[in-house]
Amino acid sequence: VFPKAPFATAASIIAGLGEKGIQGEEMKECAKLLVAKREDLEALAPLQLLRLTVAATKSQDVAVEALDAVASAAALVLNAFSMEDASKLLLAVAKAKAGAGAGVQELYERAAEVIPPKLSELSSGQLIKVVLAVTKVEACRP
């Protein structure tokens, strides 16, 4: 069903299943679809990328198969995220059930460019999320 559905619809369904913590071979195959269609993944709206990242905190299969590609896609459009959503995204990546690959590294590097000029816009809660996310990154610890 997923290969025939519009990509954004399939991504939304995968995010929903991941948010419920669904695991298994079928979930792995669904998550692999996200990575296979890189251009479509990069064209998703910021909120869909956020949902997929949150799904990676609850589903090991989504995290392992797709987090790196989703983080890379989010890095491309991070400036389009609200500061609230950017802080949620960074915290979700830090909490995800997978290691940090090149896409995650790319997201953190992009966040270092996008967030500092907007620090004054962050609420205290958003700032706490960003700090918690950054402290999970090995290179950011003392």
Side-chain angles (χ1 to χ4, degrees):
V1 172
F2 286 121
K4 295 178 184 178
F7 186 81
T9 302
S12 183
I13 293 169
I14 293 166
L17 293 171
E19 289 167 341
K20 299 276 188 212
I22 303 298
Q23 307 276 8
E25 287 304 313
E26 291 171 340
M27 190 63 183
K28 284 181 188 177
E29 292 305 313
C30 289
K32 286 178 184 178
L33 288 174
L34 296 172
V35 179
K37 297 188 175 187
R38 184 77 176 202
E39 287 182 17
D40 290 334
L41 181 62
E42 292 173 353
L44 288 177
L47 285 177
Q48 283 190 288
L49 294 169
L50 175 58
R51 281 193 67 211
L52 288 166
T53 305
V54 170
T57 68
K58 298 177 182 177
S59 172
Q60 178 79 25
D61 295 332
V62 173
V64 169
E65 300 298 336
L67 178 64
D68 208 47
V70 171
S72 179
L76 294 174
V77 294
L78 189 60
N79 59 329
F81 278 76
S82 68
M83 282 298 95
E84 174 68 22
D85 289 341
S87 64
K88 287 178 184 176
L89 177 78
L90 293 172
L91 186 58
V93 168
K95 290 172 58 177
K97 302 174 183 211
V104 171
Q105 181 66 33
E106 185 181 340
L107 176 62
Y108 283 126
E109 289 171 5
R110 184 72 177 125
E113 297 168 3
V114 171
I115 292 178
K118 298 180 179 182
L119 280 175
S120 63
E121 298 174 27
L122 291 173
S123 69
S124 56
Q126 293 165 343
L127 185 58
I128 289 169
K129 288 176 190 172
V130 171
V131 170
L132 287 173
V134 170
T135 60
K136 301 259 185 183
V137 179
E138 186 75 31
C140 296
R141 288 190 229 146

